[in-house]
């Protein structure tokens, strides 16, 4: 007779060695659970491992993006710039896993192809592409929201004989741009980071833009030694602010609305915003920026003026001004020297709304105005946001229920971390997650999940599953607030970039504070109805 209970290999299996997974692994290991992490890549860092294209850089302040679980880690790591680049970010995550001796719990080159809930054993059987099989009591899929890269559905992509890379799958070996004819397709956060960085090296640069974005300066700078010391001395205050506020940033919200001030005052204030670091343009702008169309349009009018003052060719600047959404209608990119790039004589902008792409050829790209030849094509065409990674992993819960079927009309979650029918499985940093400084928001989720593990161990429960009616309260909240948040239905936050994907809001429109409150209530109720 088969044993009723198959032994588990580990208590907690974490999938994905990004910023969220590493923290989850650390929490579980510190608490004495047996742990394992599986990672598809050959190194740690997640987003900061895969997106190693030239110009890849934080747009959250480095010292608020890193971890706060160890004062000693915070003290001993020096962020050289306010917004550090990918190599530095990847170094940080390597430092963390080595400093806390986590690397020995990680298996690399392990791409998951199946996760099956074994009802009888009360555990998950997880299989990797190479045939490795792990049995785990709990599975935490920390696989990220921007980790399933997508290419345009344009014929002939495979025919191109030159070099072609997606920004989200960038190779470790350097790509030689010097003297090459280069195309960049896509002008989201990744495309607008690559473009100015490679522009001076290449023989020619052609930018294929489908939708212009409201790009604003990142305003990166080196952090001088004196300021470094101040930041380190300020650990407790910084941690308190970024772990307790809505955005996860250190930014202090403004105290007035747009039209309380004269036009002259507004323009002076917008100038301050233009010079402010990264997301401060969103989080410290006039308080009605995202709630009043008129207020938002006023900021956009200022931005339009700025663009016109930088870009010399009137036809080019016309194409660079968004007309179909206001600020934050799509995720706003933060740039360094982006608009200036279009003043260089060897840089061209192709507006795909005027001349759509027809096909990729052996030699280049054909649009309706003809074929252009290239040595290199950079596909900066984004990701299957939110659900993409989870729906590529073959996850099957109770009774063989496929997550792809359960989420056929869009994700159904509780707190953006668990789903009914999928016991003992979690996905921090996944769909219905946060907009803001992601590691802080995802960290809340990891701590909630870890609290569940601790409670179950203490009280000898084996299974945790969100009841259907409780899950519904969260999904009703998402539906209700989706209509009130600023991101438009044309953004990837609604899955708009993926043909055929259901149009559902893929973040938590209720915000971080509501999520934290619901987590606290759930824990306080001792997970009533969740445990068996
Ligand atoms: P994004 O922000 O999704 O940008 C992708 C870009 O690629 C965007 O400009 C798209 O235009 C463009 N795109 C997508 N499909 C096509 C096709 N078929 N033809 C032409 N152009 C296309 O991804 P990123 O990698 O830049 O940024 C991802 C996140 O990384 C970002 O939000 C930050 O969190 C960091 P569209 O706007 O869809 O018309």
């Amino acid at each position: 007779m088969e044993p009723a209970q198959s032994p588990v290999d580990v208590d907690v299996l974490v999938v994905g060695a990004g910023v969220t997974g590493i923290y989850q692994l650390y929490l579980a290991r510190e608490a004495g659970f047996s742990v394992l992490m599986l990672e598809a890549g050959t190194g740690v860092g997640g987003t900061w491992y895969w997106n190693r294209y030239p110009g890849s850089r934080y747009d959250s302040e480095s010292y608020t993006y890193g971890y706060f679980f160890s004062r000693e880690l915070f003290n001993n790591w020096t962020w050289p710039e306010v917004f550090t680049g990918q190599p530095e970010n990847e170094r940080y995550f390597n430092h963390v896993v080595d400093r806390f001796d986590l690397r020995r719990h990680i298996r690399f080159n392990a791409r998951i192809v199946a996760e099956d809930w074994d009802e009888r054993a009360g555990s998950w059987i997880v299989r990797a592409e190479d045939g490795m099989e792990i049995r785990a009591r709990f599975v935490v899929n920390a696989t990220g929201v921007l980790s399933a890269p997508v290419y345009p559905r344009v014929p002939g992509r495979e025919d191109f004989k030159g070099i072609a890379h997606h920004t989200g799958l960038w190779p470790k070996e350097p790509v030689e741009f010097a003297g090459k004819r280069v195309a960049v397709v896509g002008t989201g956060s990744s495309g607008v980071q690559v473009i100015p960085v490679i522009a001076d090296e290449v023989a020619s640069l052609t930018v294929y833009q489908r939708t212009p974005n409201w790009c604003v300066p990142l305003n990166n700078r080196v952090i001088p030694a004196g300021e470094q010391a101040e930041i380190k001395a300020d650990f407790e205050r910084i941690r308190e602010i970024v772990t307790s506020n809505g955005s996860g940033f250190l930014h202090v919200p403004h105290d007035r609305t747009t039209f309380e001030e004269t036009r002259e005052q507004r323009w002076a204030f917008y100038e301050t915003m233009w010079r402010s670091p990264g997301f401060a343009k969103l989080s410290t702008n006039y308080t009605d920026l995202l709630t009043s169309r008129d207020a938002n349009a006023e900021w956009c009018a200022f931005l339009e003026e700025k663009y016109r003052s930088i870009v010399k060719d009137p036809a080019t600047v016309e194409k660079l001004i968004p007309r179909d959404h206001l600020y934050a209608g799509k995720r706003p990119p933060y740039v360094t020297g982006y608009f200036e790039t279009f003043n260089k004589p060897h840089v061209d902008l192709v507006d795909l709304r005027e001349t759509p792409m027809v096909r990729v050829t052996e030699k280049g790209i054909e649009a309706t105005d003809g074929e252009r030849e290239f040595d290199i094509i950079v596909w900066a065409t984004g990701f299957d946001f939110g659900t993409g990674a989870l729906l590529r992993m073959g996850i099957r819960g109770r009774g063989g229920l496929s997550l792809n079927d359960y989420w056929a009309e869009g994700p159904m979650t509780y707190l953006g971390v668990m789903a009914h029918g999928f016991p003992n499985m979690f996905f921090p940093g996944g769909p219905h997650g946060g907009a803001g400084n992601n590691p802080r928001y995802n960290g809340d989720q990891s701590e909630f999940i870890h609290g569940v593990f601790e409670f179950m161990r203490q009280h000898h429960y084996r299974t945790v599953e969100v009841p259907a009616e409780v899950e519904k309260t969260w999904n009703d909240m998402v539906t209700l607030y989706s209509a009130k948040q600023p991101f438009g239905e044309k953004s990837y936050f609604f899955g708009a970039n993926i043909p055929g994907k259901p149009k559902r809001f893929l973040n938590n429109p209720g915000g971080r504070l509501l999520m934290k409150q619901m987590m606290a209530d759930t824990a306080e109720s001792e997970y009533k109805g969740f445990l068996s």
Side-chain angles (χ1 to χ4, degrees):
M1 227 175 79
E2 252 189 275
Q5 308 271 321
S6 310
V8 295
D9 298 336
V10 286
D11 297 326
V12 179
L13 174 67
V14 181
V15 180
V19 61
T20 307
I22 292 171
Y23 185 42
Q24 195 80 57
L25 180 69
Y26 168 79
L27 289 173
R29 202 278 311 271
E30 288 299 284
F33 290 100
S34 62
V35 293
L36 178 67
M37 171 177 271
L38 300 180
E39 162 58 48
T42 59
V44 301
T47 284
W48 304 106
Y49 169 86
W50 295 103
N51 290 268
R52 50 181 70 241
Y53 58 84
S56 173
R57 187 173 284 284
Y58 283 156
D59 51 20
S60 292
E61 281 83 351
S62 48
Y63 48 91
T64 67
Y65 191 99
Y67 296 113
F68 285 87
F69 64 76
S70 159
R71 162 122 217 186
E72 196 237 326
L73 169 64
F74 193 84
N75 271 352
N76 290 341
W77 182 264
T78 295
W79 296 102
E81 295 170 278
V82 174
F83 302 103
T84 45
Q86 180 275 334
E88 188 65 18
N89 307 341
E90 189 184 17
R91 255 196 300 282
Y92 174 75
F93 291 108
N94 277 287
H95 168 77
V96 172
V97 296
D98 290 331
R99 163 67 190 79
F100 295 96
D101 194 21
L102 295 169
R103 198 176 292 276
R104 66 197 169 92
H105 303 296
I106 308 175
R107 285 192 208 166
F108 294 103
N109 280 315
R111 184 172 290 282
I112 305 306
V113 292
E115 294 184 355
D116 289 284
W117 172 246
D118 180 344
E119 188 75 44
R120 188 213 279 254
S123 58
W124 285 88
I125 306 166
V126 175
R127 287 189 196 84
E129 210 168 35
D130 66 358
M132 173 175 47
E133 193 172 291
I134 306 291
R135 191 176 273 276
R137 173 76 56 222
F138 301 106
V139 173
V140 181
N141 291 310
T143 42
V145 280
L146 290 158
S147 47
V150 290
Y151 292 93
R153 291 191 185 171
V154 52
R157 194 168 55 76
E158 302 299 333
D159 300 340
F160 181 60
K161 293 272 194 278
I163 294 167
H165 295 296
H166 191 289
T167 49
L169 291 170
W170 202 261
K172 286 185 181 161
E173 307 71 43
V175 176
E176 191 54 63
F177 281 101
K180 298 284 169 35
R181 299 163 303 167
V182 179
V184 175
V185 184
T187 52
S189 297
S190 306
V192 301
Q193 283 187 331
V194 178
I195 289 163
V197 169
I198 61 170
D200 286 334
E201 266 185 81
V202 300
S204 70
L205 178 59
T206 307
V207 176
Y208 287 87
Q209 172 190 270
R210 189 165 65 179
T211 314
N213 275 307
W214 290 110
C215 298
V216 283
L218 178 65
N219 295 321
N220 188 25
R221 63 182 173 83
V222 166
I223 308 178
E227 194 179 329
Q228 295 283 3
E230 283 169 24
I231 290 169
K232 287 176 181 175
D234 216 10
F235 173 75
E236 270 90 13
R237 190 187 69 90
I238 296 175
R239 183 181 57 182
E240 169 57 25
I241 294 172
V242 299
T243 53
S244 61
N245 69 11
S247 69
F249 290 114
L250 210 48
H251 312 150
V252 180
H254 198 36
D255 61 359
R256 67 200 71 166
T257 56
T258 305
F259 298 105
E260 280 177 52
E261 299 201 306
T262 65
R263 185 181 189 281
E264 203 180 12
Q265 287 171 321
R266 279 198 297 280
W267 251 241
F269 176 70
Y270 287 153
E271 192 63 44
T272 319
M273 287 291 96
W274 178 261
R275 291 170 198 281
S276 70
F279 275 94
K281 284 119 193 140
L282 200 53
S283 53
T284 70
N285 213 313
Y286 286 117
T287 54
D288 56 350
L289 177 76
L290 300 183
T291 52
S292 154
R293 282 191 70 81
D294 289 347
N296 197 322
E298 191 76 347
W299 167 239
C300 292
F302 170 84
L303 296 181
E304 186 174 331
E305 252 182 52
K306 278 286 183 196
Y307 299 173
R308 289 186 191 284
S309 75
I310 301 171
V311 181
K312 297 203 176 91
D313 176 42
T316 302
V317 75
E318 216 54 59
K319 292 176 189 167
L320 289 166
I321 300 169
R323 296 292 176 206
D324 68 341
H325 65 281
L326 292 171
Y327 192 72
K330 290 185 155 214
R331 198 277 198 189
Y334 297 97
V335 295
T336 305
Y338 175 63
F339 291 106
E340 290 82 349
T341 305
F342 292 97
N343 292 332
K344 296 179 196 286
H346 67 298
V347 178
D348 267 333
L349 180 63
V350 176
D351 186 340
L352 291 172
R353 292 165 308 179
E354 284 173 10
T355 53
M357 201 179 283
V358 177
R359 66 175 63 83
V360 180
T361 64
E362 285 190 8
K363 292 184 171 168
I365 295 176
E366 184 186 332
T368 51
D369 62 346
E371 184 186 2
R372 292 173 180 80
E373 296 187 1
F374 301 111
D375 304 307
I376 302 176
I377 300 177
V378 176
W379 296 103
T381 44
F383 301 87
D384 184 351
F385 179 79
T387 50
L390 291 170
L391 296 183
R392 283 164 173 74
M393 286 167 60
I395 300 174
R396 288 183 178 276
R398 270 195 208 286
L401 173 66
S402 139
L403 188 66
N404 297 53
D405 289 341
Y406 190 55
W407 285 1
E409 299 303 319
M412 299 274 288
T413 82
Y414 184 57
L415 306 170
V417 297
M418 59 209 298
H420 179 68
F422 299 84
N424 292 14
M425 191 197 82
F426 300 87
F427 39 87
H432 292 173
N437 192 8
N438 275 328
R440 302 286 72 77
Y441 183 101
N442 302 351
D444 299 338
Q445 295 184 317
S446 292
E447 286 163 15
F448 171 80
I449 294 164
H450 184 70
V452 175
F453 296 163
E454 295 259 32
F455 188 89
M456 290 176 70
R457 178 168 62 180
Q458 198 180 347
H459 298 277
H460 310 291
Y461 287 106
R462 299 181 57 78
T463 314
V464 54
E465 179 182 4
V466 57
E469 64 278 12
V470 178
E471 186 182 72
K472 186 171 180 308
T473 59
W474 175 265
N475 292 295
D476 288 350
M477 180 284 291
V478 171
T479 306
L480 180 69
Y481 289 146
S482 291
K484 299 181 182 168
Q485 57 70 49
F487 296 110
E489 289 208 1
K490 288 189 179 154
S491 79
Y492 67 63
F493 292 115
F494 277 89
N497 61 329
I498 308 295
K501 191 166 172 173
K503 279 226 165 30
R504 293 281 183 284
F505 190 58
L506 296 165
N507 273 345
N508 160 21
R512 182 187 186 193
L513 300 182
L514 176 70
M515 177 195 71
K516 279 173 85 111
Q517 186 55 53
M518 288 176 75
M519 284 177 170
D521 293 347
T522 305
E524 201 164 303
S525 79
E526 302 199 323
Y527 314 98
K528 192 162 176 278
F530 285 61
L531 301 175
S532 53

